[in-house]
Amino acid sequence: MVMANPSLMLESIILFIIFLLSCLSWSCPEYKKQALLQLKSSILAIDSSLYALDSSNCCLWDKVTCSSPSNSTSTPGVVIELLLSNISAQLMPSNLLAPLFFIRSLRVLDISKNSINDQIPTFGLGNLSNLVHLDLSRNRFNGSIPLQLFQLKYLQYLDLGSNMLQGGLSPKVGSLQDLRMLNLSSNHLSGELPEEIGNLTKLQQLSLWRNKFSNGIPSSISYLRELEELDMGNNSLSMEILTHIGNLSTLFSLSLGNNKLTGGIPASMQKLNKLD
């Protein structure tokens, strides 16, 4: 396998920051531009041999999406989407991301498949109150899931899978009532699953695979009537399978294997006629 050149990867990150800065210079306040300058400076500190390149309007770049300019005023569009997936294999500290939290207009943020380590930054995370899509998967984040995440009430997609997160799942997860997809798979999360997970009644995909969750499956899972995929395999869940699991009539994928479940298969599962 041919390994990517780390310097080229860092150069691509700097190119992105320069593009973004050129966009922010006309579409947002000065403090946002300064935040991105701080991010650029942090990246240059990793490899000071990299040089700045000329840039153009970042709203025309393939990793940035801006809102349409208003026709009624002279107000230009603002950055609403950053797709930074798989841009670097170079190990980077998570606090390098902190300046992004000043771009309050963001609706989509994808920084998956990088090599970002340490804890998910908490400072300013609640500022991204317009987010509907957040993907932090396939990095090296550790520590607990920050409670500030559960303040992002418009989130519909939250992917924290394939990291090294620890601790429990807070009952505050129940406040994300617009969620359609929640992926916490392949981490080191543990403890009892909160009953508040049943508040996520719009959820269509729930993956808790390959963690260390224990005790019983919350009875409130049966309230998730729009659920299509449920993966709770490879944990330490015990006690019996929910009697009313047959209420999840839209399920077409169900995985409960490699747990410590007891008892038989509930009769209500016969109603799950969409299962593969």
Side-chain angles (χ1 to χ4, degrees), residues 80-134:
I80 59 172
E81 182 175 294
L82 299 179
L83 303 179
L84 309 182
S85 176
N86 200 26
I87 61 171
S88 177
Q90 186 86 349
L91 197 64
M92 296 186 294
S94 63
N95 59 10
L96 182 140
L97 300 172
L100 294 178
F101 300 149
F102 289 93
I103 309 176
R104 297 172 184 258
S105 55
L106 276 178
R107 301 187 76 243
V108 175
L109 177 59
D110 184 350
I111 55 174
S112 63
K113 302 177 185 177
N114 289 292
S115 297
I116 306 169
N117 71 332
D118 211 343
Q119 298 185 20
I120 298 173
T122 57
F123 173 75
L125 187 59
N127 289 345
L128 303 182
S129 57
N130 293 305
L131 274 184
V132 297
H133 180 115
L134 179 60

Side-chain angles (χ1 to χ4, degrees), residues 39-109:
L39 180 56
K40 174 187 172 184
S41 176
S42 298
I43 295 172
L44 283 171
I46 298 174
D47 190 339
S48 59
S49 67
L50 297 177
Y51 54 88
L53 300 175
D54 291 335
S55 64
S56 60
N57 184 346
C58 81
C59 288
L60 302 178
W61 195 50
D62 63 350
K63 293 185 181 296
V64 178
T65 300
C66 295
S67 62
S68 299
S70 172
N71 293 325
S72 59
T73 69
S74 59
T75 304
V78 295
V79 176
I80 59 172
E81 182 175 294
L82 299 179
L83 303 179
L84 309 182
S85 176
N86 200 26
I87 61 171
S88 177
Q90 186 86 349
L91 197 64
M92 296 186 294
S94 63
N95 59 10
L96 182 140
L97 300 172
L100 294 178
F101 300 149
F102 289 93
I103 309 176
R104 297 172 184 258
S105 55
L106 276 178
R107 301 187 76 243
V108 175
L109 177 59

Side-chain angles (χ1 to χ4, degrees), residues 169-213:
L169 179 59
S170 170
K172 292 184 181 294
V173 70
S175 63
L176 300 178
Q177 296 185 22
D178 275 347
L179 269 187
R180 271 68 167 176
M181 201 289 295
L182 175 60
N183 180 19
L184 303 177
S185 66
S186 196
N187 278 288
H188 305 296
L189 298 169
S190 59
E192 186 173 356
L193 291 169
E195 285 289 338
E196 287 80 1
I197 205 166
N199 293 344
L200 311 179
T201 55
K202 297 180 181 178
L203 208 58
Q204 297 172 347
Q205 300 177 47
L206 175 59
S207 181
L208 306 175
W209 175 76
R210 201 177 178 188
N211 278 285
K212 301 177 182 179
F213 290 118

